[in-house]
């Protein structure tokens, strides 16, 4: 069965989507809007909601850009786990995936927050493990420099191991609460974590009882060698960024092979590809909306968006001149850099042409068309082993999300690709993952 998720955002996935007439009027810090997103996704029987996150307000040094800020730069957002705790009280079934960085946080507080969310939601919590790709985040945590990718992943490995040790502190039946004898807990059912690594240590035990899923579901979104290694060892689900079906298939095949080589079960690993959705009730409507949205992109913002995607300063180049060569990986860089470099070279694109390609898709695939056309692409990706599911970026909220619920999901259900109702209660069950001991 295919797995489906969407971003928990009131604003739209397209960077200029919030400006479109079909988008909500005001969404900043609006819990009511986010609850509506969550409810629509749950009505569509999706596996989970997803919140991405970072740890800095960006672009303050460039006032024009700062004021035209796209909501996806997240200048004003709720703390993700706090928000998910609120959402858990307005939903019953849908999984709650939120992001925390292993570079700046401590295992104790992350393990505690996510175990708490797992209890509050009756087993629907997941942690998207990231190492953080924005160098500016470091200054909010008293560090002068963003550690390089190798250092970040070395710490991330230990971080996940330490959290796992903390989540294993208590046996499920440790809290006996016997009024007759006065015994509140069974001391034979707790152990300290005693985790000592090169980068961090934590004693434990955690002061949260064992959580309903054993431990929260672990997502990871890294694509580099270090990211793939971490994911193959620890993740239940992996978010993949792939511009086309071949790139997705390469990634999925590689990660499942790595899992098998480590002695794990590749069928217990879910690869979720990120796609941007441009649905219309007709094909003409979908392409018209796509072009309307692109016309709303501020050029300064488009260049900045591209510069971030490729981790390269593009400010010195003419916007209608050729895209410069991108030589080698950089600190804080990512896999999209290599993919876009190849596209720009193959098609001889200018900076403007490349950003018009990247902004709508956010470096992933953009699926444009009617529900039938979009379902055709998703079916091909799914059936040919390119992924186990999708995280759907609704280009205009709420317009696109409504069409996802009312047209795309029913089309996938008609084809027998997607559930017509929830059959389990935990996120692990929705994803077909075994509960951890
Ligand atoms: C769907 C998806 C969601 C992501 N969400 C976040 C996020 O919330 N925070 C973050 O710092 N990075 C996020 N990333 C970036 C990844 O964590 C990672 O840095 C990036 O894919 C590059 O891989 P690497 O770290 O192995 O180089 C996301 C990536 C994808 C594909």
């Amino acid at each position: 069965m295919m797995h489906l998720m969407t971003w928990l955002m009131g604003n739209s996935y397209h960077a200029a989507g919030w400006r479109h007439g079909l988008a909500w009027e005001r969404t900043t810090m609006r819990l009511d809007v986010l609850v509506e997103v969550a409810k629509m996704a749950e009505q569509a029987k999706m596996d989970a909601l997803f919140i991405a996150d970072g740890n800095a307000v960006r672009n303050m040094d460039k006032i024009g850009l700062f004021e035209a800020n796209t909501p996806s730069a997240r200048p004003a957002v709720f703390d993700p786990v706090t928000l998910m705790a609120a959402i858990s009280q307005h939903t019953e079934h849908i999984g709650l995936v939120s992001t925390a960085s292993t570079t700046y946080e401590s295992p104790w507080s992350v393990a505690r927050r996510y175990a708490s969310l797992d209890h509050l939601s009756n087993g629907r919590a997941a942690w998207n493990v990231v190492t953080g790709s924005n160098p500016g985040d470091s200054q909010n945590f008293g560090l002068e420099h963003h550690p390089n990718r190798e250092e970040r992943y070395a710490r991330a490995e230990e971080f996940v191991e330490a959290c796992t040790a903390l989540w294993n502190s208590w046996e499920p039946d440790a809290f006996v609460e016997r009024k007759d004898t006065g015994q509140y807990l069974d001391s034979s059912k707790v152990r300290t974590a005693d985790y000592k690594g090169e980068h961090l240590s934590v004693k434990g035990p955690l002061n949260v009882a064992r959580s309903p899923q054993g431990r929260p579901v672990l997502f990871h979104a890294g694509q580099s060698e270090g990211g793939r290694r971490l994911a193959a060892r620890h993740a239940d689900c992996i978010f993949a960024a792939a511009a086309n079906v071949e790139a997705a298939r390469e990634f999925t095949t590689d990660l499942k092979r790595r899992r098998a080589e480590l002695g794990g079960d590749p069928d217990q690993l879910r690869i979720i590809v990120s796609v941007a959705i441009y649905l219309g009730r007709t094909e003409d409507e979908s392409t018209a909306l796509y072009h309307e949205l692109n016309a709303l992109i501020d050029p300064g913002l488009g260049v900045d968006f591209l510069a971030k995607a490729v981790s390269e300063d593009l400010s010195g180049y003419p916007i209608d001149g050729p895209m410069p060569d991108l030589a080698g990986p950089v600190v804080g860089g990512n896999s999209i850099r290599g993919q876009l470099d190849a596209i720009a070279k193959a098609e001889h694109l200018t900076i403007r042409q490349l950003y018009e390609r990247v902004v709508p898709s956010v470096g992933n695939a953009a699926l444009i068309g009617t529900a039938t056309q979009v379902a055709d692409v998703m079916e091909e990706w799914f059936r040919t082993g390119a992924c186990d599911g999708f995280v759907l970026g609704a280009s205009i909220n709420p317009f696109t999300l409504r069409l996802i619920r009312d047209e795309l999901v029913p089309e996938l259900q008609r084809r027998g690709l997607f559930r017509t109702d929830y059959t389990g209660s935990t996120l692990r069950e929705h994803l077909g993952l075994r509960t951890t001991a």
Side-chain angles (χ1 to χ4, degrees):
M1 197 59 75
M2 183 185 282
H3 300 286
L4 293 181
M5 310 179 185
T6 194
W7 304 69
L8 181 60
M9 60 204 308
N11 43 66
S12 305
Y13 189 71
H14 186 286
W18 65 279
R19 300 181 60 193
H20 197 279
L22 292 170
W24 270 307
E25 264 324 300
R26 299 184 74 87
T27 60
T28 307
M29 310 310 283
R30 288 271 306 270
L31 178 63
D32 56 335
V33 166
L34 294 163
V35 167
E36 206 172 323
V37 170
K39 288 196 165 161
M40 277 194 268
E42 191 165 73
Q43 286 153 4
K45 317 293 179 203
M46 287 195 198
D47 294 72
L49 296 159
F50 169 51
I51 307 178
D53 195 47
N55 282 289
V57 172
R58 305 174 192 185
N59 298 328
M60 288 190 71
D61 51 337
K62 303 168 212 148
I63 195 70
L65 186 62
F66 187 49
E67 291 193 351
N69 221 341
T70 139
S72 60
R74 305 183 200 106
V77 286
F78 289 106
D79 166 74
V81 179
T82 308
L83 173 59
M84 284 305 196
I87 295 292
S88 75
Q89 305 306 299
H90 292 271
T91 52
E92 263 181 76
H93 304 282
I94 196 159
L96 310 167
V97 185
S98 58
T99 302
S101 163
T102 55
T103 303
Y104 302 112
E105 302 225 36
S106 84
W108 171 267
S109 43
V110 167
R112 188 180 186 195
R113 283 208 308 275
Y114 283 85
S116 301
L117 180 62
D118 207 35
H119 280 285
L120 291 170
S121 63
N122 296 319
R124 295 186 280 140
W127 169 28
N128 177 35
V129 180
V130 301
T131 68
S133 44
N134 177 35
D137 291 7
S138 54
Q139 288 158 25
N140 288 332
F141 294 87
L143 295 182
E144 252 173 65
H145 301 292
H146 189 55
N148 68 34
R149 188 188 278 115
E150 210 169 291
E151 287 172 54
R152 298 203 310 269
Y153 276 112
R155 181 179 157 94
E157 289 269 353
E158 292 188 6
F159 200 112
V160 174
E161 286 166 11
C163 287
T164 305
L166 287 167
W167 288 321
N168 284 334
S169 299
W170 296 94
E171 299 292 324
D173 52 354
F175 292 88
V176 292
E177 299 189 57
R178 291 191 54 180
K179 283 189 174 176
D180 55 344
T181 62
Q183 185 189 17
Y184 180 62
L185 61 86
D186 180 345
S187 60
S188 70
K189 301 207 164 164
V190 62
R191 53 182 170 265
T192 49
D194 288 322
Y195 185 85
K196 273 199 178 52
E198 234 177 88
H199 303 270
L200 35 85
S201 64
V202 59
K203 187 164 189 313
L206 194 64
N207 57 351
V208 182
R210 190 175 200 87
S211 83
Q213 296 186 100
R215 63 170 168 76
V217 175
L218 292 186
F219 278 67
H220 179 58
Q223 318 283 311
S224 62
E225 178 55 32
R228 291 181 189 215
R229 218 179 308 124
L230 178 80
R233 198 164 305 154
H234 299 290
D236 299 302
C237 289
I238 304 173
F239 283 128
N244 53 50
V245 67
E246 290 79 22
R249 201 174 300 119
E250 180 280 321
F251 184 80
T252 295
T253 308
D254 180 55
L255 265 295
K256 297 215 172 183
R257 179 187 55 76
R258 286 174 190 248
R259 172 61 59 90
E261 279 173 10
L262 289 167
D265 180 358
D267 290 336
Q268 286 287 296
L269 181 62
R270 303 276 172 262
I271 312 290
I272 308 296
V273 170
S274 176
V275 286
I277 300 290
Y278 293 85
L279 271 176
R281 285 158 294 201
T282 61
E283 188 175 349
D284 284 351
E285 185 182 45
S286 67
T287 43
L289 284 174
Y290 181 75
H291 292 301
E292 280 166 28
L293 287 169
N294 288 347
L296 289 171
I297 303 169
D298 177 277
L301 203 139
V303 174
D304 182 70
F305 197 96
L306 177 60
K308 282 213 193 83
V310 298
S311 305
E312 188 82 20
D313 180 7
L314 298 172
S315 54
Y317 298 93
I319 191 169
D320 291 312
M323 180 66 194
D325 262 2
L326 302 174
V330 290
V331 175
N334 54 54
S335 59
I336 294 170
R337 178 180 164 93
Q339 291 179 32
L340 292 180
D341 189 41
I343 293 170
K345 284 199 178 98
E347 300 183 35
H348 307 289
L349 298 181
T350 64
I351 289 179
R352 189 194 300 271
Q353 287 166 331
L354 192 60
Y355 86 58
E356 284 181 351
R357 197 78 70 85
V358 175
V359 171
S361 65
V362 198
N364 305 299
L367 309 188
I368 308 162
T370 61
T372 309
Q373 290 169 320
V374 170
D376 284 346
V377 179
M378 291 170 69
E379 179 165 9
E380 189 213 337
W381 284 48
F382 178 69
R383 289 208 192 275
T384 61
C387 63
D388 298 302
F390 300 88
V391 55
L392 306 172
S395 47
I396 307 174
N397 254 337
F399 175 80
T400 313
L401 189 54
R402 278 195 196 121
L403 281 186
I404 289 174
R405 179 194 60 188
D406 298 340
E407 298 197 12
L408 179 59
V409 165
E411 179 60 33
L412 295 167
Q413 289 167 333
R414 266 192 292 282
R415 297 178 189 203
L417 291 167
F418 190 60
R419 71 171 68 83
T420 51
D421 206 351
Y422 293 102
T423 51
S425 61
T426 67
L427 175 57
R428 225 167 253 291
E429 286 166 340
H430 302 339
L431 292 166
L433 299 170
R434 285 189 288 272
T435 300
T436 52

